[in-house]
Amino acid sequence: MILSNYHTHSVFADGKDEPEAMAQRAVELGFKALGFSEHSYNDFDGFGMDEEKERAYKAEINRLKDTYAGELEIYLGIEQDYLSRPVSDGYDYIIGSVHIVYKGGEYCVVDNTLSELLSAIERHYGGDRYALAEDYFESVADVKRKTGCDIVGHIDLLTKNNERGLVFDAAEPRYRRAYMSAIEALSPSRPVFEMNTGAMARGYRTAPYPSLDILKALRERNLPIMINSDCHDKNKLDLGFSLCEELAIQAGYTERVVIKGGKFETVGI
């Protein structure tokens, strides 16, 4: 496997390690490329970068590009939330993600704790969890237009706490219609969809995003995929990559997307 990761968080946002420590670990693991993707700024959570931190982040990643030239391709990316302010210039790529549903004058974070998710469903949806799923995937359907993203991040992030079907039944017709509607809306623009092992690293899931059913739906439409770890800890840069490959093959994929020389390319799985 050609080792690479383009969804990486450092101390500039909610990660544990300095960017250079993560780059050093990537070299040790034999990575060909490492892309950083800190959270964009918003005024309703504490994860995004303010303007001062964003300037420092850009300067540091660009410095590392020069430092590791010829040894490791380093890319400057950003994870742009659907509800964040517009992204600034100067990035190599954008990951567009939906972490939050705005409902009833409140920002409902879909990937916090199980109790917080269930409480939000009760308060704003009268206990109708599929109404939340419908609102969530409606935002996902629009994430390319809103963020200008190259990569769609963890398309079914709202299932972070759904390992044993505690919140959503993936076979429920309303749930399936919701995610299929998002896939159909995104298909014409053909962004890259990531397989993301971030919830595995934190012990919430034993499988990556997206579900195998969603992965199969993407494959049926010949939509490209990328394998990312959503790394917040340098020791988990490649966590779950072998499982991602197995599931991708099971869904019918023979190729995945990487970035080489600054360009998106496909390589075999």
Side-chain angles (χ1 to χ4, degrees):
M1 182 180 187
I2 298 174
L3 287 174
S4 58
N5 179 60
Y6 307 98
H7 194 153
T8 310
H9 296 286
S10 73
V11 294
F12 280 99
D14 57 343
K16 290 177 57 178
D17 302 296
E18 295 285 345
E20 185 151 17
M22 304 186 90
Q24 289 171 349
R25 181 57 180 157
V27 171
E28 292 169 3
L29 291 169
F31 270 55
K32 300 297 184 183
L34 179 64
F36 290 89
S37 57
E38 297 298 13
H39 293 285
S40 59
Y41 178 77
N42 61 59
D43 56 5
F44 45 80
D45 68 32
F47 296 122
M49 299 179 291
D50 60 22
E51 291 183 3
E52 181 179 357
K53 186 171 284 188
E54 185 179 10
R55 284 194 296 271
Y57 164 64
K58 286 181 172 180
E60 175 62 3
I61 304 308
N62 284 324
R63 181 188 72 83
L64 292 177
K65 285 185 180 186
D66 294 335
T67 300
Y68 286 84
E71 186 175 21
L72 176 69
E73 288 192 7
I74 291 181
Y75 293 100
L76 172 63
I78 190 162
E79 185 175 13
Q80 178 76 2
D81 186 81
Y82 183 77
L83 294 176
S84 291
R85 69 184 183 188
V87 69
S88 64
D89 295 330
Y91 288 105
D92 296 320
Y93 62 87
I94 299 169
I95 299 175
S97 299
V98 179
H99 299 89
I100 299 161
V101 173
Y102 187 70
K103 184 71 172 180
E106 181 179 336
Y107 294 101
C108 305
V109 182
V110 301
D111 64 331
N112 273 348
T113 66
L114 175 61
S115 62
E116 287 174 316
L117 180 62
L118 293 175
S119 177
I121 291 170
E122 193 62 40
R123 286 196 314 277
H124 298 294
Y125 295 93
D128 185 351
R129 57 198 63 193
Y130 296 105
L132 168 67
E134 288 162 351
D135 280 356
Y136 170 81
F137 282 112
E138 184 176 332
S139 293
V140 172
D142 192 43
V143 73
K144 169 70 174 178
R145 181 201 65 81
K146 181 72 181 297
T147 67
C149 65
D150 307 285
I151 302 162
V152 175
H154 37 55
I155 187 173
D156 54 349
L157 180 67
L158 80 170
T159 62
K160 173 182 170 180
N161 293 290
N162 201 54
E163 177 73 8
R164 296 178 300 281
L166 295 174
V167 185
F168 306 103
D169 177 358
E172 161 62 41
R174 286 177 66 192
Y175 183 80
R176 177 174 170 77
R177 282 196 299 271
Y179 74 69
M180 287 302 299
S181 178
I183 291 172
E184 294 294 351
L186 289 165
S187 291
S189 59
R190 295 186 56 78
V192 178
F193 292 80
E194 70 168 4
M195 297 186 73
N196 179 309
T197 65
M200 294 173 63
R202 299 170 189 78
Y204 290 97
R205 292 172 57 110
T206 57
Y209 307 109
S211 69
L212 184 58
D213 285 341
I214 291 178
L215 195 60
K216 287 179 178 179
L218 296 173
R219 177 65 189 95
E220 288 169 0
R221 288 152 185 81
N222 199 31
L223 294 169
I225 59 168
M226 169 182 282
I227 296 176
N228 286 329
S229 63
D230 197 349
C231 182
H232 291 66
D233 178 340
K234 67 180 182 181
N235 295 312
K236 298 179 180 179
L237 266 174
D238 61 346
L239 186 140
F241 280 10
S242 294
L243 177 58
C244 285
E245 285 193 318
E246 292 173 13
L247 292 171
I249 291 168
Q250 189 175 340
Y253 279 97
T254 59
E255 294 180 324
R256 64 186 175 92
V257 172
V258 298
I259 305 177
K260 288 184 179 180
K263 297 181 179 179
F264 284 70
E265 297 185 6
T266 55
V267 296
I269 292 178

